[in-house]
Amino acid sequence: MQTNYAVSTKSIIPNTVLMVRPNAFRPNEQTAKDNSFQAPLDIVNANTSKISEDAKREFDDMVSTLRRNDINVEVFESEEKNTPDSVFPNNWLS
């Protein structure tokens, strides 16, 4: 007898995601020194305002896309201005 996995797994697929808006997004100079996932960036000369605005625009576009596709999005948002790592949900939930 064949099981219909599409029906049986549908109930475990989440319909809501948590996303953290990158209000203070910028490279973190403290972690960039020993984090191989961060590309080298001249913090002094970098246009961190543009980096932050680009990240916010991309974030808002993704939230809109998810919502248009009937996915609930819970948006967390930091009010702090010096928190480049606030975009990581583990920093909110731990």
Side-chain angles (χ1 to χ4, degrees):
M1 179 158 110
Q2 186 175 5
T3 304
N4 186 341
Y5 289 103
V7 172
S8 64
T9 60
K10 186 168 179 60
S11 63
I12 63 169
I13 298 172
N15 66 351
T16 303
V17 296
L18 179 150
M19 294 178 67
V20 181
R21 192 160 198 273
N23 283 340
F25 186 77
R26 63 174 172 73
N28 184 335
E29 61 278 356
Q30 292 176 343
T31 61
K33 296 171 188 166
D34 61 357
N35 185 332
S36 61
F37 292 102
Q38 292 189 48
L41 180 67
D42 182 357
I43 300 294
V44 174
N45 295 318
N47 187 346
T48 55
S49 298
K50 179 167 178 6
I51 291 170
S52 183
E53 291 306 313
D54 288 348
K56 289 178 202 174
R57 185 180 23 65
E58 290 177 19
F59 176 89
D60 292 339
D61 289 348
M62 178 56 76
V63 169
S64 294
T65 298
L66 291 169
R67 288 179 173 159
R68 274 195 317 273
N69 286 282
D70 299 320
I71 297 171
N72 299 317
V73 181
E74 294 293 332
V75 176
F76 285 26
E77 199 163 350
S78 176
E79 295 177 5
E80 299 295 322
K81 298 297 181 212
N82 192 25
T83 55
D85 294 332
S86 69
V87 297
F88 301 109
N90 66 302
N91 292 327
W92 288 80
L93 303 174
S94 58

